[in-house]
Amino acid sequence: MSKTEKRAFNVHPGIIQHLIREQAGTLVKAVAELIMNSIDAGATRVDLDFDEQGKFSVVDDGRGFLSRTEIEAFFETFGTPHQEGDATFGRFRIGRGQIMAFANTRWRTGNFIMDVRLLDSGAEFGYTLTETEDYQPGCRIDGQIVSPDVIREAYYAGLSGEQLYNGFSDECDFYSMIRFVGIPVYVSGHLLNTLPADNHWSHEDEFGYYLFDNSHSLSIYNQGVFVCDTERRSFSVAGLFVSKRAIKLNMARNAWLRHECEVIQHLRSVAHNAYVARIESSARMTDSEAGAIIRRIATESDEIDENEARILVRSKFIPSLAGQRISPFQFLDATQFSLYDGHSSLVAERAEKEEGFCFLTPQLFDLANLKVSAKNALLFLEIMVDVFSPFIINNQDRVLVQFDELLEAYSGTFEEIPDAELPPKQLAALRAIRHVASQIKQLTKDPARQTRKMIAGKSDCSDAWTNGINYIAFNTAVLEQAYLTRWSGGIERLVNLAIHEFCHQAHSSVDTHEHTLEFYQAYHEATLANAYCDIVRRCTRFYLKQLCKAGQRISSVERTHTTAIGKMLLSMGEKFPVKKERKDAPWSSVAHPTPPKTYRVVLDFSGDERISQDDLVLAFGKGWLEPEQSTIGMPITSGTWVARKVA
Ligand SMILES: Nc1ncnc2c1ncn2[C@@H]1O[C@H](COP(=O)(O)OP(=O)(O)OP(=O)(O)O)[C@@H](O)[C@H]1O
Ligand SMILES: [Mg+2]
């Protein structure tokens, strides 16, 4: 037979230790708790003094602890319940524990002294109570902070007067924490706070003081003590709110109890009116205002009534493709929508112009701190239609098209870029590929009479493209990547792309951009032909030469290669020293008391270029060999060529 008992929950004394040690957040918060206690004790001022060694005092002129019984009930015992309305701040009867987690403290009040030393090693969990002859009016707490980190916090938070003397009080955490409490708080003799009534507010009522501005967040103060900052999107406004009544807070006093607090509910309605007035004013919105509205529509559309929707429909808060802001009225004028990928602007602009597409931009979601996703785009579009359709004339169905589909549909979209507009590196690459164009034409057996023109262009879809007849275009990004780094393909990639495009011959494979078996065969043969390597070499050399001519630095990867080749050539030269110097050598021993070492270097130059300083530096690596000045400008021929090592 089963037996049922009614039993109560129990609390282990260890919970008190947790309450003291773990409810404490920061020293600033712990000191604010002391000030709240002083206000509850009816004090008319509080004086704080913190020195650089972490010694401090907090003194008030309140009623203090009146008797031993009171000390036992309220100081010794944690969690004694409050009577409704007996305190402004006090609720849990544990706040005093916070300071005990940071400092050993001595509390003096009336004829009593309470010593709390929880931070001593091996300390017992308790306090000592002493009765004395001396009388302390109000309550005075002296303490010694133990950890050096916390002493530093006291300094930077503005608790030690120094920050205040230097005029930094406005930026200090402690100032922000107790900025609007209702009694004067002095730090090292300086008055820190201002009474709420002495400030300028945009609105005041029996619930509190309100200041709405252009900032990003709303700072909320519970009867003068800071609770938290909330993003503009929480209340659709930003600025300051200082409550006159108690906000129902959690134990840490850094969040309110959502469904219980009438003060916050009231704030919500005041904020809403301010927000409606603001959007009605039709002034240009800040990013944070626009973001708050987008977020409200996306997440709280149920709360938007007809009146608000009527105002919003003409407000410009939706970022458009062109970077302007448009209203829901303009947005919903379209029937085809797509989620812009953030970079394929050519395609998006064309779809907008030619087919009246309207784009949901990544910025739209970023402003509202929402994830950019196709799912969210669809949801947002549906909500927009839902909220604003009563005010929109065009009530046709609206569709969301995948951006990939647009990319495919407009894959031929590109824009030619004239040489004059290309940055030097891209122009050098384009010229280099032009330099070998006719060779590539031969290599790929392109039957066209003339070599296709090589141009630069911009496209969202292709690295290179051609009409198969008279031009091949290279995306500027690819031209840029010819500059060899550890992450880019260098000139070879450009040559391969050119071969690829040359293999698209006449109209056949261009319209569909199809890669047939013949196409692959042609490409395969071209890249395996002997001439291929020569083309890559010529193109690279020409490219580097162009870079030098344009005063551009050769990339460090390229330089490492050429230096390595130069060194290799040198070491080969060491193995085969020239036995006899050429008689007519212009650098013969006359100019040099010790004849310089000479090397036989085999160069593989071809074509009809002339030697330039850059060529020689490239061939030998700077600092290794200094070419004879007289060779510069001479025709380059393959064969043996003699240079000397620089001392
Ligand atoms: N400066 C003070 N002057 C007089 N009494 C004080 C003072 N500081 C604390 N007390 C007494 O000690 C009690 C405990 O303070 P404590 O901060 O721990 O709790 P509380 O203020 O009642 O509630 P809460 O946990 O919400 O702060 C107070 O209720 C008050 O009776
Ligand atoms: Mg308290």
Side-chain angles (χ1 to χ4, degrees):
M1 212 180 78
S2 59
K3 188 178 156 219
T4 309
E5 288 179 74
K6 210 167 178 125
R7 297 187 60 84
F9 285 117
N10 223 335
V11 174
H12 191 276
I15 192 74
I16 304 174
Q17 297 205 34
H18 284 296
L19 280 176
I20 289 182
R21 299 227 161 85
E22 282 144 47
Q23 66 156 326
T26 60
L27 176 71
V28 161
K29 177 70 198 326
V31 176
E33 289 289 337
L34 299 183
I35 293 173
M36 288 185 256
N37 285 350
S38 297
I39 294 173
D40 279 349
T44 63
R45 66 181 276 164
V46 185
D47 284 86
L48 292 93
D49 259 299
F50 279 71
D51 77 8
E52 278 170 20
Q53 276 70 48
K55 214 163 123 222
F56 69 89
S57 64
V58 178
V59 184
D60 72 40
D61 61 351
R63 67 177 162 272
F65 289 79
L66 299 174
S67 63
R68 186 183 255 274
T69 333
E70 199 167 285
I71 292 172
E72 283 170 13
F74 303 144
F75 189 82
E76 192 168 304
T77 312
F78 282 85
T80 309
H82 271 275
Q83 308 297 322
E84 182 69 39
D86 70 351
T88 305
F89 293 103
R91 284 189 59 211
F92 311 107
R93 211 87 71 169
I94 59 167
R96 67 192 177 291
Q98 292 195 18
I99 195 68
M100 299 172 188
F102 293 110
N104 287 326
T105 46
R106 165 168 287 191
W107 302 56
R108 282 179 240 235
T109 176
N111 293 102
F112 300 98
I113 299 177
M114 291 89 91
D115 271 304
V116 189
R117 306 189 65 87
L118 302 183
L119 303 176
D120 288 352
S121 64
E124 280 189 22
F125 191 66
Y127 74 107
T128 54
L129 176 63
T130 313
E131 250 186 283
T132 68
E133 295 286 294
D134 301 333
Y135 183 81
Q136 172 69 43
C139 185
R140 175 186 177 104
I141 302 159
D142 289 283
Q144 173 66 53
I145 302 172
V146 173
S147 146
D149 285 351
V150 181
I151 295 176
R152 256 196 300 277
E153 187 199 329
Y155 175 79
Y156 286 113
L159 280 163
S160 84
E162 210 163 317
Q163 298 279 46
L164 310 181
Y165 304 133
N166 295 334
F168 291 127
S169 64
D170 287 9
E171 294 159 26
C172 292
D173 284 356
F174 184 61
Y175 168 76
S176 311
M177 187 82 205
I178 55 113
R179 195 174 158 187
F180 298 112
V181 295
I183 61 169
V185 175
Y186 293 86
V187 173
S188 309
H190 287 256
L191 177 65
L192 194 60
N193 58 328
T194 46
L195 302 181
D198 297 342
N199 280 271
H200 170 75
W201 303 101
S202 28
H203 179 67
E204 184 194 338
D205 60 22
E206 75 268 28
F207 285 87
Y209 304 91
Y210 312 77
L211 180 69
F212 300 132
D213 61 22
N214 272 341
S215 55
H216 295 293
S217 58
L218 179 68
S219 303
I220 296 190
Y221 284 79
N222 173 37
Q223 301 171 102
V225 181
F226 179 72
V227 177
C228 63
D229 283 330
T230 65
E231 296 269 332
R232 176 184 282 274
R233 55 179 175 268
S234 320
F235 289 90
S236 300
V237 293
L240 279 172
F241 170 65
V242 180
S243 78
K244 288 183 183 174
R245 303 183 183 182
I247 301 177
K248 285 218 165 120
L249 297 174
N250 62 351
M251 241 184 216
R253 293 196 228 269
N254 59 7
W256 54 87
L257 308 178
R258 249 188 112 88
H259 302 292
E260 291 179 25
C261 185
E262 53 158 14
V263 180
I264 294 294
Q265 273 159 18
H266 182 78
L267 166 65
R268 206 169 278 290
S269 75
V270 172
H272 184 72
N273 293 341
Y275 146 80
V276 171
R278 171 77 179 95
I279 46 179
E280 255 182 326
S281 77
S282 77
R284 188 184 152 80
M285 288 178 199
T286 61
D287 278 358
S288 102
E289 282 175 320
I293 296 179
I294 296 164
R295 181 139 185 130
R296 180 166 167 80
I297 291 171
T299 62
E300 295 169 6
S301 61
D302 295 349
E303 291 174 22
I304 299 177
D305 60 16
E306 210 185 302
N307 185 35
E308 185 181 345
R310 179 175 292 116
I311 300 164
L312 280 177
V313 76
R314 299 273 176 188
S315 319
K316 297 187 174 177
F317 59 88
I318 304 170
S320 74
L321 192 63
Q324 289 149 343
R325 298 256 179 79
I326 57 172
S327 65
F329 191 79
Q330 293 164 299
F331 181 80
L332 291 173
D333 193 35
T335 51
Q336 300 193 87
F337 296 81
S338 185
L339 175 60
Y340 176 46
D341 70 355
H343 45 85
S344 306
S345 58
L346 289 176
V347 165
E349 277 161 20
R350 229 180 111 183
E352 186 181 63
K353 206 149 84 205
E354 293 175 15
E355 293 190 62
F357 263 86
C358 185
F359 289 93
L360 293 106
T361 60
Q363 211 208 351
L364 172 89
F365 298 95
D366 290 347
L367 283 180
N369 206 13
L370 294 167
K371 197 172 152 222
V372 186
S373 71
K375 200 172 149 204
N376 278 349
L378 187 62
L379 258 174
F380 186 76
L381 185 61
E382 283 172 4
I383 294 174
M384 287 288 286
V385 172
D386 206 34
V387 173
F388 297 109
S389 58
F391 311 101
I392 304 286
I393 307 150
N394 180 355
N395 271 329
Q396 293 173 36
D397 282 347
R398 292 178 173 79
V399 288
L400 186 77
V401 177
Q402 297 274 340
F403 198 76
D404 281 352
E405 284 178 31
L406 293 183
L407 283 179
E408 208 167 303
Y410 291 105
S411 63
T413 303
F414 72 88
E415 180 189 322
E416 184 178 343
I417 310 228
D419 285 11
E421 287 174 22
L422 290 176
K425 275 188 202 143
Q426 294 178 14
L427 185 62
L430 185 63
R431 285 192 174 145
I433 202 73
R434 279 177 189 155
H435 184 66
V436 291
S438 58
Q439 257 186 299
I440 299 179
K441 178 178 183 295
Q442 275 175 19
L443 189 71
T444 54
K445 305 193 177 73
D446 179 16
R449 257 189 323 123
Q450 279 185 331
T451 307
R452 285 179 245 177
K453 207 171 106 189
M454 307 274 142
I455 57 172
K458 269 212 167 95
S459 159
D460 292 331
C461 324
S462 321
D463 288 340
W465 58 97
T466 180
N467 61 356
I469 310 164
N470 58 5
Y471 79 85
I472 292 174
F474 295 90
N475 199 330
T476 48
V478 169
L479 294 174
E480 186 70 35
Q481 283 160 9
Y483 194 75
L484 186 62
T485 66
R486 273 199 289 151
W487 296 277
S488 70
I491 213 81
E492 283 93 335
R493 174 132 194 277
L494 201 58
V495 172
N496 290 351
L497 266 176
I499 294 175
H500 178 117
E501 295 307 326
F502 267 110
C503 287
H504 281 299
Q505 288 161 11
H507 289 293
S508 58
S509 58
V510 176
D511 290 345
T512 53
H513 211 84
E514 213 178 302
H515 295 141
T516 58
L517 192 59
E518 290 86 67
F519 171 89
Y520 283 118
Q521 265 167 358
Y523 184 80
H524 180 79
E525 274 169 31
T527 49
L528 284 184
N530 285 335
Y532 171 80
C533 300
D534 186 50
I535 291 173
V536 172
R537 258 201 307 267
R538 283 191 65 214
C539 192
T540 309
R541 228 173 40 231
F542 196 84
Y543 172 58
L544 297 177
K545 219 161 136 177
Q546 290 293 317
L547 283 182
C548 291
K549 257 192 187 163
Q552 298 288 303
R553 284 168 62 91
I554 306 275
S555 84
S556 56
V557 177
E558 204 83 65
R559 221 171 314 145
T560 315
H561 285 178
T562 47
T563 312
I565 291 170
K567 279 186 190 168
M568 214 161 64
L569 292 172
L570 263 182
S571 70
M572 282 171 65
E574 298 264 14
K575 282 185 202 148
F576 307 104
V578 177
K579 293 225 173 70
K580 254 172 92 185
E581 283 179 10
R582 274 164 53 189
K583 286 244 170 59
D584 56 346
W587 38 262
S588 70
S589 49
V590 185
H592 298 270
T594 32
K597 272 188 178 177
T598 54
Y599 302 93
R600 185 197 300 273
V601 180
V602 182
L603 295 175
D604 181 20
F605 285 136
S606 61
D608 57 358
E609 300 102 324
R610 309 237 142 201
I611 290 180
S612 73
Q613 180 80 34
D614 296 329
D615 284 325
L616 294 166
V617 171
L618 280 176
F620 300 118
K622 205 169 187 162
W624 278 87
L625 284 170
E626 190 177 78
E628 222 1 273
Q629 281 302 314
S630 61
T631 56
I632 290 172
M634 303 259 290
I636 301 173
T637 47
S638 295
T640 308
W641 191 74
V642 184
R644 71 192 155 88
K645 187 177 181 183
V646 178

